[in-house]
Amino acid sequence: MQVLKFGGTSVGSAKAIEQVCLILKENKPTGKFAVVVSAMGGITDKLISCGQLASAGNDQYKAVLEEIETRHLTAIRELFPITAQSSLISQLKKKLNALENLCDGIYQIGELSKRSLDKIMSFGELISCVFVAEKLKQQGLHAAWKDSRELIVTDNHFGHAAVNFAATNHNIKAFFDQQQADYTVLPGFVAATIEGETTTLGRGGSDYTAAIIAAAVNADLLDIWTDVSGMMTADPRMVSQAIPIAHISYEEAMELSHFGAKVIYPPTIQPVMDKRIPVWIKNTFAPNDYGTLIHDGTDRNYPVTGISGIQHIALLTLEGSGMVGIPGFSKRLFEALSRERINVILITQSSSEHSITVGIHENEMLAAKATVDEEFAIEIHEKKIEPLLVEKDLCIVAVVGDKMKNHHGTSGKLFGTLGRNGVNVRAIAQGSTEKNISAVINKADVKKALNLIHETFFEQPLKQVNLFIAGAGNVGGKLLEQLQQQQSFLQDELGLQIRVAGLANSRNMLLSEYGIKLSDWRDQLPQGDNNDLQQFIERIKTLNLRNSVFVDNTASADVAKVYREFLQHGISVVTCNKIACSSDYQYYKELKELARKYDASFLFETNVGAGLPVINTLNDLIRSGDRVHSIEAVLSGSLNFVFNNFVNGADFRKVVKAAQDEGYTEPDPRIDLSGVDVMRKILILARESGAKMEMDDITNNLFLPDACLNAPSVADFYDQLDVHADHFKGLLQQASSQGKRLKFVARYEEGKASVGLQQIAPEHPFYNLEGKDNIVLYTTSRYKEQPLIVKGAGAGADVTASGIFADIIRTAR
C-alpha cells in the first residue's frame, strides 16, 4: 500500500486538483492508495479569521464566509459537469451552514475556545477531500472518501492534540483491511477524541495524518506532494543559491524540519522512521523532478546536509550565584514552562552552573517571564538568583548533517565565518549526536548568516564579495572596468564572485542587493537617489550583505571620517584616500584596532605609490621581525614628472601646466607642489614602521615662494609662476652646474621625517628616475648594506585602480 499526501497549494484551485488527479491516474496502484489532502490553499487562514472576527463582535466574519463559499463554488463549476454539480453544491451548502451557525454562536457569546476553533478549522479539509474523491470518480477511477475523524483518536488538547496510537492504529488497519476502493481520499489535519469531539494535529498536520496512516498500514512508501521539488540545502527565499537535497536520512530531515524547514511538518518523521518507511517529497507542479527521498543508508562525503533557521526567538536566562551546586533549579524551570505549555526549542547551560539559558518562541515570552518569576519568587527576593532575563528579536540558525561528527573543524568553520562578518552569536547548542549545531543570533542577521553558512559549506570554492564603492571618477571608473574585465578569471581561478552592490559619486548613489550591472553603470548611476553619505552608510548596514567591502576612491575628508562605522560592523575598508591614515595619530590607531577587533580588513596600499607594493613590502619586513632604520623616497609621480621635464631651457610654468593637462597633478597643482601630499605619504610609511608621528612633526622644506602658494586662484598661481621664473631657473642652474638633478625627496630616519627639493648626484638611485615613477629605499637591520628598493609607476588612474583591486582581493582571501 502507498500513502500520498497533497498540500494546500496542490489542491488550491480547480486546475491544481486536476493536476493531482492526473498524477494519481498515471500512478495507478498495484495495491491501494490512501490519499490525504489539505484544505485549499489559504482557506484555513480564512476559517481562523472567521472565528476571531466573530469572537471580537465583528460581523465581517460573514463576508469572509461568503469568500470561502465563492472559492469552493468556483472550484465545483470549473471541475465538474453541470449534471454532477448539484449534489456537490448541496453537500457544500450543508457544511457551510453548519460553519455559519457555529460562527453565529461565537459572535453571540463573544468567546472563541480552542475546541470551537478546531471545529471551525476542520471544514477546509473535509470539503477538499470530497472534491478530490468525486473528481477521481468522474475520471472512472474506483475512489471513495473517508473522514479521518473516524480513524485517528486523540486526547482533548485542542489545537495540537496528541494521538492515541493504540486506538488509532487499530482503527486504520481495520478500515483498510475492509476497504475495496483503489483510492481512499482522507482529510488531513483533523482527528477526534474518544467522545467524537473534533481536534486538530497542529498547523501542517496533514503531513502527520499521512505518516500516521502509513505507519499503521506498514505502507511501502509515503509521498508528500507539495509546491517545491523537495527539501533544499537552505530556504531558497533566503538563499538564492540553495540546491535540492536528493537523499537525506530520517534524523537529518527531522532536525531540519524542527529548525524551520517548512517542506515537511516536524512530527511527520517519527511514525515512518519507526517503521523505516521511505518518504518521498515531490512537486505536484513538476512531477518529473526527482525531489527528496528520506530513507536509511544515505551516503555522502560532505559533513553538512542542510541549514535552516527559526525566526522570532526569545532567550530566557535564569542566573545567580545561589544556583551553583544546588540541585533542582533546572527541573523547576522546565516544570514552570511546562505548566504554561511553553515549548523549549534550545537549551544551553554554563559549566559553572551559574546560569541556564533556553530558547522559546517570542510570542510566549511574557507568559514565560511571569511563570518563572513566580516559581522562583522566594529565591529572587532573597537575592539568590536574578529575575528571569528575557531577550527578544533573535533567531536560531542550525547546521545539520549526519557526517559532522566525523569531520574535524565544522564548528570552527561555522563560527569563524559568522565572526568574520560581524554576526554576533548569543548562544550555542550542540546535540550529543553531533548532528546539529545551533546558534542564536540577532534576527536582523539571519539572511546574511544563512548565506554565509551556505557559501562556506555548499559553494566552495566560490566566495561572494559585495563591494560598496564611493567615487566613480577617473580611478573609480578604471576600477569598475577592471572588475568587469576580470569577472570570469576571478571565478574560474580564484573562486571569487565580486559584485558591486553599491555605487556613489558626488551627485547620486545606487544600491542593489543583487548587484549592479557593470556593463551599464554609467547609465544606471544618474538614475539613482541623490547622494547622502549618511543614507549611503545606513543602507549598506541595512542590506547587511556577507563579505562586504567599502571602497573609497575619493579624496574626501568627510568620507574618511566614516571608516569606523564600517569597521565596527565587520565591513572591510579599502581606500586610496590618504586623509584617514595621515590624520590624527589617534584616529589612525583607532581604525587599525577596530579592524583587528572586528576581524575586518583595513587596506590602503594605494595611499603610497599607487599600485606599487610599497606598504605591503614594509608590512612584511616589520611582521618578520626586521627593523626600519630609514626610508628615503620619491613619492610624488606628479613632482617627478615636473622635474624630469624641467631641464635647461624649459619654462617652469609650462611644465607644470603640461603636468596638469596630462592629469598628473590635482586640478589645483599647489596641492602637489606644496609637498603636503608627500608629507602625508611619508607620515603613513613612518606610522606603518611603528612611529607615533603627526603631520606637524614633519619638516617641509618648501621650494615655492609664498606668493605662489597664497595666490587667490589657480590662474593667479600660474601668473605668480611667471613672476618668479628666475627663482625656478636658479634652482635648476644650481643643480645642473654640479651635474645633479632636482628631485622632491621624502626622508624618515630614526623618528624624524622631512620632505623637500634635493639635488641628486648621478650615482644615487634617484638620479635616473624617469617619467612619473616612484621609488622607495628601505634601509633596515637586514637590508643594511644595500637598501631594499621598490620602484615603478606611482601615479595614474590605471595603476591606482589595480592597487585597489589587489587590496579587494586580499580582503577576500
Side-chain angles (χ1 to χ4, degrees), residues 760-775:
I760 302 299
E763 64 273 13
H764 196 283
F766 293 173
Y767 185 84
N768 291 313
L769 192 66
E770 301 297 335
K772 59 182 184 298
D773 283 2
N774 282 190
I775 186 170

Side-chain angles (χ1 to χ4, degrees), residues 419-423 448 545-549 564-573 594-595 598-601:
R420 283 191 297 274
N421 279 270
V423 178
K448 179 181 182 179
L545 299 178
R546 66 193 187 276
N547 305 319
S548 290
V549 182
R564 61 160 65 92
E565 292 196 52
F566 293 114
L567 294 172
Q568 286 170 341
H569 282 79
I571 297 172
S572 295
V573 174
L594 286 172
Y598 294 100
D599 203 12
S601 296

